Amino acid sequence: MSGTLFIVSAASGTGKTTLVKALLENSAHLKVSISHTTRPKRPGELDGVHYHFVDKNRFMAMVGEGQFLEHAEVFGNYYGTALSTVEQALKQDIDIILEIDWQGAQQVRQQYPQAVSIFIIPPSRAALRERLQNRGQDSDTVIDQRLNGAVADISHFVEFDYVVVNDDFDTALFDLQAIVQASRLRQSIQTIRHAKRIEGLLSE
């Protein structure tokens, strides 16, 4: 497999989804894995575009069948990444991004230790609260819960290969693009991708 698996994690409200969306718009051979979730759809979300929305019984059946590369419970809802989606993309030389939390990242690294992991942090707690409030999607109670969980989430940044600070959006996006491009040029990946070219260069 010559594709690269990227893990992008962050505390809720850090701007991860917006950054990844911009990254996808400016990067060839890169796609995001659409997760399965049991949480209700938010206004404007579409099934199969933002998430695959399933009920808890179906989700647990998929867990039992071993269909997930990783899965986790977050704020009472379940999220999971389909193993078949990831494997198919990597075999086709497509880099794939998993937008998952640190729990899921730990599970993925056990099966794909070569995955490139990135943790995005906010510039401050005050900025994080403001971003959560500006969403206009969650109640004050939910916002407080997310803020309380943010510190615990951010403490796991030490488990990741790269850390990006989302203070200035353009700078954070540039940093993500640099990580993706450098990862595609790793010797182990290029050896697979350009096997025939390298063979031709080295043969008499």
Side-chain angles (χ1 to χ4, degrees), residues 1-2 114 183 185-193:
M1 292 185 287
S2 56
Q114 70 274 32
S183 297
L185 299 177
R186 288 178 300 171
Q187 178 270 128
S188 58
I189 297 296
Q190 291 288 69
T191 298
I192 298 172
R193 184 176 293 126

Side-chain angles (χ1 to χ4, degrees), residues 108-119:
V108 172
R109 279 193 293 265
Q110 290 177 357
Q111 297 190 57
Y112 284 90
Q114 70 274 32
V116 178
S117 58
I118 307 163
F119 198 90

Side-chain angles (χ1 to χ4, degrees), residues 6 8 18-28 30 95 97 116 118 120 162 164 169-185:
F6 292 94
V8 180
T18 304
L19 278 169
V20 169
K21 180 180 179 182
L23 178 64
L24 291 168
E25 292 173 351
N26 293 278
S27 303
L30 183 64
D95 297 337
I97 293 179
V116 178
I118 307 163
I120 301 173
Y162 297 93
V164 172
F169 182 84
D170 290 338
T171 300
L173 177 58
F174 177 84
D175 290 343
L176 283 175
Q177 291 170 329
I179 293 169
V180 169
Q181 181 60 21
S183 297
R184 285 189 62 84
L185 299 177

Side-chain angles (χ1 to χ4, degrees), residues 6-20:
F6 292 94
I7 303 169
V8 180
S9 300
S12 179
T14 304
K16 166 175 58 67
T17 299
T18 304
L19 278 169
V20 169

